[in-house]
Amino acid sequence: LSNLTESGATLYILDCHSLKNLNGLSNLTTLIRNNNVENSIVISGNNALVNLDGLVNINSPLYYLELKGNPSLLNIDGLRNMSVSQQFSISSNDMLQNLNGRSSIKRVRKYASIIDNNSLVNLRGLENFESCEGMIISDNANLTSLDGLNGLKVDQASMRVNDNINLTDFCSLHYTYNAYQGYECQGNAYNPTL
């Protein structure tokens, strides 16, 4: 794989239970869109995967990004050069400590979800994230703060912040509360109303 510089539109890395890193993909720079298939990356069910550093050279814009069920994943720094245009989902990554690799996300046209990442304490790394149609932040057991969403300014969006049992700090959303048409907040340590 180390000679691979281009790949088809979608890169799937699924259920590789012994895979610890993606270093073999470090020369991959381009995902080539073909026949109405948008560029996407789906990384799911990789029990031993610790980081995504091998993807750092990919500079193709993504339509969709999904990171799901990678229980040993510590960080996503390897995604720092990728932008996502439509949707991203980061869920069930038990050891994920931060979102620092997502600073290149500015806008997604559809949804963003951050669900069930038990080691995540804040959303730092999303400081450049400006808008989306809807956002779900749910079931992140150690999330205490929404720090990182300071730049989120939207005119029409739904926002669900539910069941983050240690979440008390909503200050990052202070200036944008009134912008949300569909705002739901329950099951957190603190649940501010509009």
Side-chain angles (χ1 to χ4, degrees):
L1 289 177
S2 62
N3 292 326
L4 186 66
T5 60
E6 295 179 343
S7 176
T10 303
L11 176 63
Y12 289 104
I13 301 171
L14 306 173
D15 301 318
C16 300
H17 301 297
S18 299
L19 183 66
K20 293 182 180 179
N21 63 59
L22 303 176
N23 294 346
L25 297 174
S26 62
N27 288 321
L28 182 62
T29 59
T30 308
L31 298 178
I32 301 171
R33 181 176 181 240
N34 55 30
N35 299 334
N36 297 329
V37 176
E38 301 289 345
N39 292 349
S40 300
I41 293 179
V42 177
I43 301 173
S44 178
N46 304 290
N47 294 341
L49 187 62
V50 176
N51 65 56
L52 306 177
D53 293 352
L55 302 180
V56 72
N57 292 316
I58 296 177
N59 54 30
S60 300
L62 299 179
Y63 179 86
Y64 177 73
L65 171 67
E66 179 178 353
L67 304 174
K68 180 179 181 181
N70 302 292
S72 300
L73 189 63
L74 297 174
N75 67 64
I76 56 174
D77 297 350
L79 303 178
R80 67 182 165 266
N81 294 322
M82 290 182 220
S83 62
V84 179
S85 67
Q86 293 294 321
Q87 184 172 342
F88 74 86
S89 176
I90 301 172
S91 63
S92 302
N93 302 292
D94 292 338
M95 298 301 293
L96 185 62
Q97 298 169 352
N98 65 63
L99 300 177
N100 289 340
R102 293 308 324 133
S103 60
S104 60
I105 290 183
K106 298 198 185 294
R107 294 178 184 93
V108 293
R109 291 186 188 108
K110 294 185 180 181
Y111 291 92
S113 61
I114 301 169
I115 300 171
D116 194 29
N117 300 288
N118 291 330
S119 297
L120 200 58
V121 294
N122 61 52
L123 302 179
R124 289 186 194 126
L126 294 177
E127 287 86 352
N128 294 323
F129 188 40
E130 296 174 355
S131 67
C132 60
E133 185 176 302
M135 185 160 200
I136 300 169
I137 302 168
S138 179
D139 296 294
N140 299 289
N142 287 306
L143 189 67
T144 60
S145 168
L146 296 181
D147 276 358
L149 292 182
N150 311 50
L152 189 60
K153 295 178 179 82
V154 291
D155 295 325
Q156 298 177 348
S158 65
M159 181 76 160
R160 284 186 17 208
V161 183
N162 296 333
D163 303 315
N164 302 287
I165 58 174
N166 288 303
L167 180 58
T168 57
D169 183 353
F170 285 74
C171 292
S172 293
L173 296 181
H174 177 71
Y175 296 107
T176 58
Y177 278 151
N178 293 330
Y180 301 113
Q181 290 183 343
Y183 173 74
E184 180 183 311
C185 184
Q186 61 189 15
N188 304 298
Y190 171 67
N191 297 292
T193 57
L194 292 180

